Amino acid sequence: MMSAMKGWAFALVVIFSVLLSWSIPRGESERAFLSFSSHEPLVKVVSLASADGGQDFFMEMTDSVATNIEYDFYRDTCPEAETIVRSTMAQIYSQHKNVSAQLLRLFFHDCFIQGCDASVLLDHSNGNKNHSVEKQAVPYKTLKGFDKIDQIKEVLENVCPAVVSCADILALATRDGVVLAGGPFYPLVTGRRDSARSYYDEAMAEIPKPDDNITQTLHLFSLRGFTDRETVSLLGGHNIGKIGCEFIQSRLHNFRGTGNPDPTVSPSFFNEMRVFCEDNGNRKSSQGSPMASPMASSTASPMASSTAAPMAASIASSPMASRGMSEKPAGRGMPYFQQLSSSVSSGAGFDTHYYQSLLRGRGLLFADQQLMANERTARLVRAYASDDGSTFRMDFARAMMKMSNLNVLTGSQGQVRLECTLPVSS
């Protein structure tokens, strides 16, 4: 009975968020984000009460509440926790606009492997410095944003020591980064705990690859419970950030080990990618972070532009040595926005330009363009590209809520790390 009441209470919070969100124009998301102190910024949120499984989704959220994650989990132990994450993210974003794409990709890579447990942040596993960690897996070596999570964690530790988990920080900071980048707000439950273990082998084997075909991509997402529609919406996280050129090189020179370019790329688009990405020493990358797996990764993931998701997305130099606010400049990359969608009128990062690019045969990653190779997913691409972005934004928000609850640890299943890079010693 109590669980049901909590579930409906959360449902009412979401519905209220949806209704209030209509009053905030899409272009006002950053201003709204910065102006709300006691209420979340609300930017055209997904309508969870839709005929498309809305009630079932509420039941999923209710089940999550029953496992010790709930809305405003830190209301007694650290009431300012979410405000601190939000304000710190706003400060970081004002100096590093690419943080949104970086965290979206980081979040996707964390949740896709063994769930949203912050295992991607660990420098060693279970205290064993000789055990390989996710950061060392090939698909993960281009991840960035670790230092931003460390910065937020430090602020929270000064206010509420040993209370807020790194897993919750990553989930909240990713959501807030999406909003700052012009994307939709989505409510989050909290109470996740951190893993003491990192999953190197799984990270090597289970992250979607940039050159996966549509069957492979849909299969990997379906194993995590995502429908075709949710998968296509999560890949829309490539709307922000850029695809690192390292994820494009194989399409230009050695597609799937053939020694030849990808035959599906049109000559004009092939030439454009070569001009932009060939190492002639004269081209500088545009601002943004790469999501290169379907949410952006290296040789193993398609959210490679950058959450991203996601999702994942979302997302290209190695962040492994980075622990301060200063980072090495990102490598060259290509964004779906501007260079690849110059003929598409776009006013913000989270609109239809990713899907418009796919309709024009200009998907940067083979895995992205493969969405047009399957009629079910192609139909979704056409639907997302056919309006002002509202349908995509609503579906993306809902899919990100779902991703944020993948296999979370709660209670005694996990721990609250004092530093996000190190497990708590037993």
Side-chain angles (χ1 to χ4, degrees), residues 156-408:
L156 283 165
E157 285 299 304
N158 289 333
V159 177
C160 309
V163 172
V164 184
S165 69
C166 299
D168 275 343
I169 292 172
L170 181 54
L172 291 167
T174 298
R175 187 273 310 278
D176 294 345
V178 165
V179 174
L180 285 165
F185 170 85
Y186 48 94
L188 285 175
V189 290
T190 43
R192 298 166 189 78
R193 305 276 281 189
D194 300 325
S195 173
R197 179 188 167 192
S198 189
Y199 300 92
Y200 172 83
D201 291 337
E202 292 82 352
M204 285 291 291
E206 299 176 19
I207 282 288
K209 298 177 175 60
D211 60 351
D212 277 349
N213 63 36
I214 187 60
T215 301
Q216 293 165 322
T217 297
L218 292 177
H219 174 67
L220 286 172
F221 276 83
S222 70
L223 291 177
R224 275 80 182 166
F226 292 108
T227 65
D228 292 356
R229 180 169 182 164
E230 290 165 338
T231 300
V232 176
S233 67
L234 284 171
L235 294 187
H238 287 168
N239 263 319
I240 59 174
K242 65 184 179 184
I243 304 292
C245 284
E246 62 267 43
F247 304 120
I248 300 171
Q249 289 297 331
S250 66
R251 297 191 78 187
L252 300 179
H253 304 293
N254 187 26
F255 182 64
R256 293 188 165 182
T258 62
N260 297 309
D262 179 357
T264 67
V265 179
S266 70
S268 61
F269 187 39
F270 177 83
N271 289 335
E272 184 175 340
M273 286 196 289
R274 286 197 64 179
V275 167
F276 200 92
C277 277
E278 290 297 88
D279 191 10
N280 55 22
N282 297 322
R283 236 168 164 32
K284 293 182 179 179
S285 64
S286 63
Q287 180 78 312
S289 143
M291 250 178 112
S293 49
M295 263 184 128
S297 151
S298 98
T299 58
S301 94
M303 258 183 122
S305 130
S306 78
T307 277
M311 78 213 48
S314 293
I315 232 188
S317 59
S318 172
M320 294 179 63
S322 175
R323 275 291 174 270
M325 284 302 294
S326 61
E327 292 180 344
K328 294 180 180 179
R332 278 193 301 282
M334 300 183 72
Y336 274 100
F337 188 48
Q338 294 175 337
Q339 279 81 0
L340 298 188
S341 299
S342 56
S343 65
V344 178
S345 176
S346 290
F350 264 86
D351 55 19
T352 65
H353 63 262
Y354 168 77
Y355 301 104
Q356 295 279 2
S357 293
L358 300 186
L359 289 179
R360 296 161 58 210
R362 297 166 70 82
L364 282 171
L365 300 177
F366 178 77
D368 282 336
Q369 192 59 49
Q370 276 282 291
L371 292 180
M372 298 302 298
N374 174 298
E375 182 50 37
R376 297 193 312 275
T377 55
R379 185 167 62 247
L380 291 164
V381 170
R382 290 192 291 269
Y384 287 146
S386 65
D387 65 12
D388 64 352
S390 298
T391 304
F392 156 61
R393 291 161 64 83
M394 289 191 292
D395 281 3
F396 180 82
R398 178 175 174 175
M400 286 297 289
M401 289 176 68
K402 183 173 180 176
M403 175 169 283
S404 71
N405 291 330
L406 287 181
N407 299 324
V408 297

